[in-house]
Structures are given as C-alpha cells and as structure tokens.
Amino acid sequence: MRCDVLTLFPRMISSALDESILKRARDKGLLDVRVTDIRDFTANKRRTADDSPYGGGAGMVLKAEPIVKAVDFIREEEKDLRIILLSPQGRRYDQTTAHELSREERRIVFLCGHYEGIDERVKIILSPEEISIGDYVLTGGELAALVVIDSAVRLIPGVVGDSSSIEEESFNSILDYPHYTRPSEFRGVQVPPVLVSGDHENIRRWRRRQALLNTVRKRPDLLSGEILTEEDRELLEEIKEEESL
Ligand code: ADE
C-alpha cells in the first residue's frame, strides 16, 4: 500500500508509523507512507494554514490553497490518485473498505482536517471520498487516518504472521472466541479443559461455538447478514436453547 498523509501535525502520524506492526510493514516494503506538513504549502511567512470563516462564527477553517497545492505536488509524480478526506460527515468506515484499501493499486492521499472545518472548495476541486470512522467528533482527522491505515495494512499478505487467521476473518464477520495462555490457572480461574485436551476437532468446534455465543450476546445484528454453515446453525440452535432466546 502506498499513501501520503497531508496533515498539520506530521509527528502525530510519524510517531505511530514508527512503532510495532506498521513499522515492520514499512521496513519490509509492504507499506510506503509519506507524511506531508500542509504548512509547507502555505504562501505566507507565518505559515498559517487556517483562517476565520466567511459569514462569521466561531472557530477557524482550514484554507483550501495549501491542501490543493500539496495534492498538485503529489500529482506531478503520479496522476491517478485515490484521495480520501477524513471527516465525521463521511461514509462509515468498515472492514469491507479496509480490505478494499489493502488491495488498492493507486497511491492513496489522506487529507486530515482540523479546526472547525475545511474550506468547501477542497471538496469541490479535489472531489475526495469522505470517510468517517464513527459517529463521534475527533479533534482532527489524524487519528482517523491512522485507524484506516492500520486496519488496511494488517490485511496486506505478509504483514502479520498468520495469514490463515486473516483469511478466516475476511469471510466471517462474527466476533472472536476467547483466548488463553499460560499459566493454566490464574487467581483461581482455570483455562477451559477442552483447550488443553489436545483434541483439535473439539477445540475447533468449541471456538466456533464461543464465537457464535459472543456474537449472539454482544452483536446479534452481525448474524443477520452472515452466511452460516450447517454446523453454525446447529451450534446456534444449541446456544439459543441455552440462552432461552
Ligand atoms: N475527523 C473528526 N472526526 C472524525 C471522524 N469521526 N471520522 C473521521 N474523521 C474525523
């Protein structure tokens, strides 16, 4: 995945990209990110990238010129860009879009808004896709851009160790099963015996049952769109009886 992040706070982005799996993905050449300070494209000495809104009102608005110029600069190198504006007014981000971005061939340009808003002409001129990571308002688009990058990058083959778990995930939108590691007893709580039984078929069935149980209890809405196997239907019947649903 190749991307540019345009931001007023480049260190917010680069500090996250320098840790953990994102760092490893970059070192392996699976993620190429350039972070650009929008202020580098301002025309004035004081490098101001915001101004008060026409028509009055509280707060400041991000100016159009530095953002559009920064995108022009990237376009000189590469014409066909996918431009994404992070904003609470965007289409809701989800795992399907994460998969799609992980396979994107074009360079992705993330525009991080800040302050009260962004001059509308950025949208008119660049026609970006608008993406929201949820129905709440952040102080800026930086954390949202990082959420999007992180969730897409981990789906690129070779970024995380076990690709079979990612494959499993891509076909199943149900919740996860519980995980345990050593010791087998902690503060009086035992690991479920099936997990130490060595019976792989039983373990697989137990995990699937727990995943379905978790989903029934916490996110039953996820099950309505899910394609279920014969085994899933059996397990769900058992669960529903037990939970007296
Ligand atoms: N900027 C501010 N709030 C946001 C949100 N919820 N999603 C994406 N970008 C944002």
Side-chain angles (χ1 to χ4, degrees):
M1 191 165 113
R2 299 174 306 125
C3 50
D4 283 84
V5 183
L6 306 192
T7 169
L8 289 172
F9 301 95
R11 277 176 306 170
M12 266 179 96
I13 305 292
S14 48
S15 61
L17 294 172
D18 272 342
E19 299 286 344
S20 184
I21 292 173
L22 293 179
K23 165 99 169 82
R24 215 171 59 207
R26 288 172 59 220
D27 290 345
K28 283 186 183 174
L30 297 170
L31 169 65
D32 162 21
V33 197
R34 292 185 307 203
V35 185
T36 298
D37 189 339
I38 293 169
R39 286 183 214 281
D40 291 346
F41 291 87
T42 49
N44 56 81
K45 246 206 176 122
R46 296 180 58 226
R47 289 164 55 87
T48 40
D50 61 322
D51 207 339
S52 48
Y54 276 119
M60 299 293 270
V61 175
L62 258 183
K63 291 162 79 69
E65 188 187 17
I67 297 174
V68 173
K69 277 189 169 167
V71 173
D72 286 347
F73 185 78
I74 298 167
R75 262 222 181 94
E76 275 175 27
E77 216 174 79
E78 201 161 323
K79 284 248 153 355
D80 193 16
L81 303 171
R82 179 165 179 175
I83 305 175
I84 296 178
L85 170 66
L86 285 315
S87 131
Q89 285 144 45
R91 166 171 68 90
R92 179 79 74 84
Y93 187 64
D94 61 13
Q95 191 68 2
T96 306
T97 312
H99 274 282
E100 199 218 305
L101 289 178
S102 74
R103 297 188 203 104
E104 179 60 67
E105 299 272 338
R106 288 169 293 177
R107 200 164 188 102
I108 307 169
V109 180
F110 291 101
L111 308 178
C112 305
H114 240 276
Y115 307 117
E116 293 307 299
I118 189 163
D119 189 309
E120 191 65 18
R121 287 166 293 190
V122 168
K123 300 182 202 172
I124 295 167
I125 293 165
L126 299 176
S127 309
E129 225 172 297
E130 264 185 276
I131 289 185
S132 161
I133 62 160
D135 291 338
Y136 40 78
V137 182
L138 302 165
T139 56
E142 285 74 13
L143 292 172
L146 286 170
V147 165
V148 171
I149 293 169
D150 186 278
S151 54
V153 166
R154 67 180 284 282
L155 299 173
I156 298 170
V159 169
V160 293
D162 182 6
S163 65
S164 67
S165 64
I166 299 278
E167 254 165 59
E168 226 174 82
E169 228 182 56
S170 65
F171 293 106
N172 293 313
S173 52
I174 67 168
L175 301 183
D176 203 3
Y177 53 80
H179 301 263
Y180 293 87
T181 186
R182 273 183 279 265
S184 65
E185 191 213 300
F186 177 66
R187 301 218 175 155
V189 185
Q190 293 280 353
V191 170
V194 60
L195 295 179
V196 290
S197 67
D199 183 335
H200 296 294
E201 174 52 22
N202 260 348
I203 293 171
R204 186 199 59 74
R205 193 174 158 89
W206 179 86
R207 285 182 168 160
R208 188 70 189 166
R209 193 178 193 285
Q210 291 293 315
L212 288 164
L213 179 63
N214 241 344
T215 312
V216 166
R217 285 183 177 161
K218 299 177 189 163
R219 290 291 306 274
D221 57 299
L222 292 178
L223 288 168
S224 59
E226 181 70 6
I227 303 158
L228 299 170
T229 63
E230 190 57 44
E231 183 187 47
D232 286 343
R233 275 196 286 272
E234 268 171 44
L235 291 170
L236 275 173
E237 278 309 308
E238 279 176 35
I239 288 168
K240 282 181 181 162
E241 255 172 53
E242 268 176 37
E243 300 271 300
S244 40
L245 287 172

